[in-house]
Amino acid sequence: MGQELKQQVEYLVMDLKAYEDYEYGRKGLRHAVKTELDLWKQADRRIKGQELQDALNSDWKTFSSYRSDGNHLRIEDKHGHLLAYCLPIPIQYTETLAATADLIPISKSKEHMRGQTSEKYWGLWRKYKMEPYMSLEYKKDLPASQQWLDANQPYFKHMSNILRILDPQMYVRYTSINRFLPEDLRPSCGIWYACGILRGMTDGGTPHKDASDYHCGLNVNTAWGDFTTATMVFWELKITVEVKKGEALFFLPRILTHNAVDVQGGVRNVVDAFVHENVLSWKDKQHKRVTRYLRGGPRRKRRKLGLGELRARNMGESSTEGAEKVPESIQREETSDTEGEMEALYHRGVEEDTEEEEDQD
């Protein structure tokens, strides 16, 4: 059972007590709840898969269209979660992208899901390796690759600041890798770890998701070239967004099936800044190791606090009952944690955490 599913089952069974009257078989209540959740999720995936297939069989020209008018455009779900954001950016950034294009070594154009284009991927990578490293293309194209990245850092820094406003939690998550990387290894594109440079587009690509990217992470792309406008299709949402030269687009490329269509006015070149899931998962492992969260680290023992102990802990006072039972380390604490206070309010009792070292396996 996955950790997330296990936590969900525990919450439903133990905390919410939603299954107290549920009829379950010989394998136990938790197994029955897990099975039901699995079946429900499978059905949900089938429905969403069919909805996506129906959308893919549709003509994108019939979708709701958002035309570029020089203002900011925010697209979110019914819960207020950001799905895409389009905005104009200062002209000097696209001018620099165009002026530094000659630094990008020429590579063969080929047909793929993003259309007929050449590709370069420069930045922090971790494919088929245990530790992060700079991508092989970046190393092969040195020193030009680093010169291009250096010249365009003002653009990446500007977009990083925009993400800090749009989603500060994601900004912090992306930047959290820096403390774990060696001194000679850093994200290449502001807070984004790497970028793809796609050149020579004159037509659209095919619908796709970016399967290697962080599963709920926002990418950002900006285009330069002779083109005037292009249209991004988001198939699950059944919408299209017009993106003109001089605008940037944030979106969730691993969640939303997307592709560019209807490129107008000439050649379109794109820089797409992203974070790969496997690099961020490496950071998470380092964090767990440092904080001793992994197996063999400190475990928590739980002990119920009595009413007198609770009062002593919350009020900074000692009662007769509390003085006899509360350890000295607890008596010195002035306040309880929020979880403890909530449990007391709902008469569930308060549990105190005590550290205990577990032997290494």
Side-chain angles (χ1 to χ4, degrees):
M1 189 187 303
Q3 186 64 27
E4 183 177 346
L5 180 58
K6 183 178 180 180
Q7 291 175 350
Q8 186 179 7
V9 170
E10 287 298 315
Y11 170 74
L12 291 171
V13 173
M14 299 301 296
D15 295 338
L16 197 59
K17 301 188 184 302
Y19 284 82
E20 284 189 327
D21 58 348
Y22 189 73
E23 295 182 5
Y24 55 90
R26 292 176 298 175
K27 293 186 177 180
L29 178 58
R30 285 179 175 79
H31 182 271
V33 174
K34 174 189 175 297
T35 301
E36 185 175 76
L37 292 176
D38 280 338
L39 291 173
W40 184 271
K41 288 180 179 179
Q42 289 173 23
D44 188 52
R45 282 194 293 267
R46 284 195 296 270
I47 292 171
K48 289 180 179 177
Q50 185 59 51
E51 289 175 348
L52 174 58
Q53 192 57 52
D54 291 343
L56 292 173
N57 291 333
S58 303
D59 183 354
W60 62 264
K61 294 179 182 178
T62 65
F63 295 168
S64 298
S65 177
Y66 293 89
R67 308 289 293 178
S68 173
D69 60 2
N71 294 315
H72 291 219
L73 171 66
R74 179 185 177 96
I75 299 170
E76 57 187 34
D77 66 13
K78 62 183 179 181
H79 304 292
H81 299 144
L82 181 62
L83 301 176
Y85 198 97
C86 187
L87 75 161
I89 61 174
I91 190 172
Q92 64 262 30
Y93 299 135
T94 48
E95 288 178 343
T96 302
L97 286 169
T100 56
D102 289 341
L103 289 172
I104 306 170
I106 297 173
S107 57
K108 186 178 180 181
S109 177
K110 59 182 180 180
E111 182 72 28
H112 54 84
M113 60 188 180
R114 295 178 177 85
Q116 183 76 30
T117 178
S118 64
E119 297 177 294
K120 290 288 183 182
Y121 293 97
W122 293 341
L124 204 55
W125 222 250
R126 192 177 157 252
K127 197 171 184 179
Y128 310 126
K129 299 284 187 179
M130 295 297 294
E131 302 288 326
Y133 60 94
M134 295 301 288
S135 65
L136 297 181
E137 275 190 305
Y138 165 83
K139 293 178 180 178
K140 177 183 175 182
D141 293 335
L142 284 171
S145 53
Q146 189 57 54
Q147 291 171 352
W148 185 91
L149 288 169
D150 288 343
N152 288 284
Q153 280 308 306
Y155 159 74
F156 291 123
K157 183 177 180 180
H158 179 77
M159 302 320 299
S160 298
N161 286 331
I162 298 296
L163 182 63
R164 192 195 327 241
I165 296 171
L166 294 177
D167 194 331
Q169 289 180 322
M170 189 177 298
Y171 177 91
V172 171
R173 177 143 173 73
Y174 281 0
T175 58
S176 65
I177 195 172
N178 290 323
R179 61 176 293 203
F180 300 102
L181 291 170
E183 289 295 328
D184 60 343
L185 207 57
R186 283 290 179 269
S188 299
C189 308
I191 63 165
W192 287 276
Y193 300 172
C195 65
I197 304 169
L198 313 172
R199 294 196 294 167
M201 295 183 185
T202 56
D203 55 4
T206 56
H208 66 279
K209 294 180 180 179
D210 296 345
S212 297
D213 291 356
Y214 177 43
H215 64 276
C216 58
L218 287 164
N219 288 13
V220 62
N221 66 48
T222 297
W224 76 95
D226 299 327
F227 88 107
T228 55
T229 184
T231 298
M232 183 69 80
V233 184
F234 295 114
W235 292 88
E236 289 91 346
L237 306 178
K238 294 185 178 181
I239 65 171
T240 65
V241 177
E242 181 186 34
V243 184
K244 291 182 177 179
K245 182 164 61 175
E247 294 181 326
L249 179 65
F250 292 83
F251 66 99
L252 300 169
R254 188 167 170 178
I255 292 177
L256 299 175
T257 304
H258 61 278
N259 64 300
V261 296
D262 197 26
V263 178
Q264 299 289 327
V267 175
R268 178 174 178 258
N269 311 294
V270 176
V271 54
D272 178 42
F274 58 84
V275 168
H276 270 174
E277 176 93 25
N278 57 11
V279 183
L280 201 54
S281 65
W282 171 86
K283 187 280 301 182
D284 290 339
K285 291 178 182 177
Q286 305 311 305
H287 175 76
K288 289 178 180 179
R289 186 173 292 113
V290 168
T291 57
R292 307 186 68 194
Y293 183 79
L294 291 175
R295 188 176 183 182
R299 292 291 181 90
R300 300 281 184 177
K301 254 191 176 179
R302 293 191 174 275
R303 182 175 71 83
K304 293 276 182 141
L305 294 182
L307 181 60
E309 295 173 290
L310 176 62
R311 287 173 177 164
R313 185 173 179 179
N314 286 348
M315 304 300 294
E317 300 172 354
S318 60
S319 66
T320 304
E321 180 183 357
E324 294 174 354
K325 295 183 178 180
V326 184
E328 183 181 358
S329 59
I330 300 300
Q331 290 177 8
R332 286 199 297 264
E333 294 185 8
E334 295 180 358
T335 58
S336 65
D337 58 20
T338 303
E339 181 183 358
E341 293 169 358
M342 291 299 293
E343 288 178 341
L345 286 173
Y346 287 94
H347 309 291
R348 293 175 54 196
V350 181
E351 293 181 337
E352 173 207 12
D353 290 336
T354 59
E355 294 280 333
E356 181 181 11
E357 296 290 332
E358 182 188 59
D359 293 336
Q360 298 283 344
D361 291 338

